[in-house]
Structure formats: structure tokens, C-alpha cells
Amino acid sequence: MSASLTDSFGRTITYLRVSITDLCNLRCLYCMPKGQEISHSEVMDFDDLVSVCRILARLGVRTVRVTGGEPLVRTGAAEFIRDLKAVAGIKRVTMTTNGVLLGEENLRALSAAGLDAVNISLDTLDRERFARISGCGGFENILPAIDAALELGMSVKVNCVPLGDFNEQDIPAIAELARTRNIAVRFIELMPFGPAAEMRPFPIREVASRVEAAFGKLMQVPVKLGEGPAVYHTLPGFAGHIGIIGAVSRGFCEDCNRLRITAAGTLKACLDSTAEIDLRGLLANKASEREIEAAIVDLVRRKPAGHRFASAGEERKREAAELFRIGG
């Protein structure tokens, strides 16, 4: 079996996103409707996830990002990260979180487990708008978590989704988090999944305009930073970087290097594709590692050239899965 995963478009897969739960402690307007979580029995257990990650590592996956829902609502997240770090071939393990539960105890446990980096979602610095967008509290925990993660030596990114009529006025303040902190603040264009399909995205070009109006010219970094689709920029006097992810208007598929495991144990070739395999089913049917490898290689061959986010119409909206199930 080949030691690398290359799709029919010449893209090599080195990155895996693993959703360990579809549960979340927030109810963000663009992400998670109430009462649609899967049952606990449908969630893939950690031992099976580690076994699959071991197979994927042999096939060339080097980075694993742990996501949700909110991964920290699942008991044992730190131990799972420790086990991932012990898998031969996996070089980097990171996590995406809303930061509300990222207090000192959790941070130290994650650091001790070997977590390399954390992405923290933060759409506003205004407490009332935070409650409006998230449907919950916890805002006061997030900025201290960012600074505590930095103190522990973790790489930190802050992810903001600009929403029309909700938080566009917060864009300069969010960007300014990178003025004195060596972090990457990334603005991610709203993707039409679940409730977001009915919302108005704030144009990513306008994000750049607002940042430049506040802080000066964005200067694109001449080399690729990180493994994801963000285009990074520097600003005069800033310690960190500003990232722009134009998921819909600019696309990010040409260099896609990733697969995704959903909370229910489905391995997806693309965020927006029905090309997938049922890992839980394969394991329940006692498939051998060689059979699982072959299924993964076949799935990668079926990975589409790109997403269909720009497709319009009610049928397309109905097709769009909830992002919290897929894992961000």
C-alpha cells in the first residue's frame, strides 16, 4: 500500500480534522440549531479514532486537528490528544475550540498531553453581541485563555466569522488582538451550511478594507504560513498576522490537503461532498486494517476538485449539512 495519499488532481493528503463530538456549550446563530445532536451511542469512541488515525498516519497524514462541536465538552479530550501524539508519523496535533472551557486546568492538561496549537473562535469583543451570536455566556473566559495558551508556548490563532448585520463593526477590534500578541487573527467567510445558508455573509473584501482603514496597508506574507487555506498578511507595528479565508468568493480547494472525520465516524473527502466512507461500520464489521486502507485510498481518489458553495437555490441549501456535525 502506498505511503502517501494523492487524489486524482495531484493533491497530497497530509491533514486530518477529527470531530470528537457534535455537542457544544454554545448555540451560535450560524452553526448549531437546538435539539439536533446525535445520540451518544452514535459518536465514535476514542480507541477506534486512534486506530483509524494510525492507519491514516501510515498513509501520510502528519497533522490532526481535533474539533467538534466543542471538543472540550467531551470527557477525555486531553487523553485522546496524548494518544494521538504517540501515533508514529503524526507530527502535530491541534485543536479548535470556542475558548469558553479553556481555563487553566484544561489548558495545562492539554499542554501536558502535547497539544501543539489552539484555534479559538471569537466573533466579537462586545459582551452583548457575543451573547446574541452565541446564545450563551462565557465571553469573559476567552481573552484570558488566549493569553494563557501563549504563556504555555502554544501557537494561537483566533477565528472570526464576519456576519452581516451582526458583528462587522467588530472587525478592527478583533484584528487588533494581533497588535501586541504573536497570534494569527483570521477572518473566515461565512459558509452556507445549516442555519448559515439563510444568513447574509459580510464580504471578505470589505473585511480587508476595514482592517486597512484602521491600521494601514495589509502586506501579504510572501511564503505560505501553516497548512490551511488562509492567506496571511502583516500590518505596520503588529506582532502577529492577519489571515483572510475567502471560502466562497475566492475558494480554497486548489491546494486542499485534508480529510475529515465527523462525530458519527464518517470519513469525508471534502467539506462539501457526499464522497465518504462509514468508518464505524467498517470497524463494526471487523474490517481488516488493509481493507480500511484500501477504502481510504479509494475515497481519496474520489475527492472532488472543489466545493459547490456558490451554487444557489433551495435544493442546494437542503443538501448542506450542519457544520457542527462535520467538524468545522
Side-chain angles (χ1 to χ4, degrees):
M1 189 67 65
S2 171
S4 67
L5 290 170
T6 302
D7 69 13
S8 59
F9 302 96
R11 299 171 298 191
T12 299
I13 305 302
T14 60
Y15 192 113
L16 176 70
R17 295 180 68 104
V18 178
S19 176
I20 61 173
T21 180
D22 68 334
L23 299 175
C24 190
N25 54 323
L26 302 184
R27 285 292 183 274
C28 294
L29 292 171
Y30 56 85
C31 180
M32 193 172 185
K34 294 182 179 179
Q36 295 190 18
E37 300 89 345
I38 61 177
S39 68
H40 179 72
S41 63
E42 294 178 271
V43 177
M44 199 164 179
D45 68 44
F46 284 144
D47 288 343
D48 285 344
L49 281 172
V50 172
S51 295
V52 171
C53 288
R54 192 174 292 115
I55 293 170
L56 284 159
R58 287 202 300 267
L59 292 170
V61 166
R62 296 292 173 258
T63 298
V64 178
R65 175 168 294 280
V66 178
T67 72
E70 167 51 48
L72 291 176
V73 303
R74 182 167 179 183
T75 302
E79 290 79 4
F80 174 60
I81 287 166
R82 179 202 62 208
D83 292 344
L84 287 178
K85 288 287 287 188
V87 172
I90 292 179
K91 305 299 184 186
R92 186 171 170 82
V93 178
T94 65
M95 174 180 282
T96 295
T97 170
N98 58 44
V100 171
L101 301 177
L102 204 61
E104 182 178 356
E105 183 177 353
N106 270 334
L107 265 173
R108 292 198 177 279
L110 292 168
S111 178
L115 188 70
D116 295 291
V118 61
N119 285 15
I120 298 175
S121 300
L122 181 60
D123 295 324
T124 178
L125 293 180
D126 181 272
R127 187 183 300 270
E128 291 184 4
R129 279 194 289 276
F130 180 89
R132 183 185 177 198
I133 292 170
S134 71
C136 300
F139 170 78
E140 66 279 1
N141 300 340
I142 300 175
L143 288 179
I146 291 171
D147 291 329
L150 287 171
E151 289 175 9
L152 286 169
M154 292 183 189
S155 172
V156 177
K157 296 174 183 174
V158 172
N159 293 338
C160 173
V161 178
L163 303 167
D165 305 319
F166 283 94
N167 67 339
E168 64 259 42
Q169 64 269 57
D170 294 300
I171 289 169
I174 295 287
E176 195 167 15
L177 292 174
R179 184 194 289 274
T180 59
R181 299 172 177 89
N182 185 19
I183 64 175
V185 172
R186 291 135 39 104
F187 295 97
I188 304 173
E189 197 167 37
L190 184 70
M191 292 180 279
F193 284 81
E198 306 296 333
M199 300 184 72
R200 183 174 71 84
F202 189 74
I204 210 70
R205 65 180 181 277
E206 293 299 327
V207 171
S209 295
R210 293 205 179 193
V211 171
E212 291 189 326
F215 304 112
K217 180 68 175 174
L218 285 164
M219 297 166 285
Q220 185 171 333
V221 176
V223 296
K224 183 174 176 59
L225 298 180
E227 300 173 87
V231 177
Y232 287 101
H233 304 78
T234 59
L235 280 168
F238 271 52
H241 293 89
I242 303 298
I244 303 291
I245 302 178
V248 179
S249 60
R250 298 181 184 176
F252 52 19
C253 302
E254 182 178 347
D255 299 317
C256 183
N257 61 347
R258 63 192 58 193
L259 298 174
R260 298 168 185 267
I261 299 178
T262 72
T266 300
L267 182 66
K268 294 182 67 69
C270 173
L271 181 64
D272 183 41
S273 170
T274 56
E276 58 191 36
I277 56 177
D278 178 11
L279 294 170
R280 289 181 78 243
L282 286 170
L283 292 166
N285 290 323
K286 308 299 183 184
S288 68
E289 290 194 358
R290 185 171 294 276
E291 288 171 327
I292 295 173
E293 280 189 16
I296 293 169
V297 169
D298 177 68
L299 175 66
V300 170
R301 291 195 186 108
R302 293 185 283 125
K303 185 176 173 70
H307 63 60
R308 301 170 298 143
F309 292 159
S311 300
E314 292 303 314
E315 182 179 353
R316 174 70 189 90
K317 290 178 182 179
R318 286 195 298 270
E319 289 176 357
E322 288 87 357
L323 198 57
F324 71 93
R325 294 194 194 280
I326 302 172

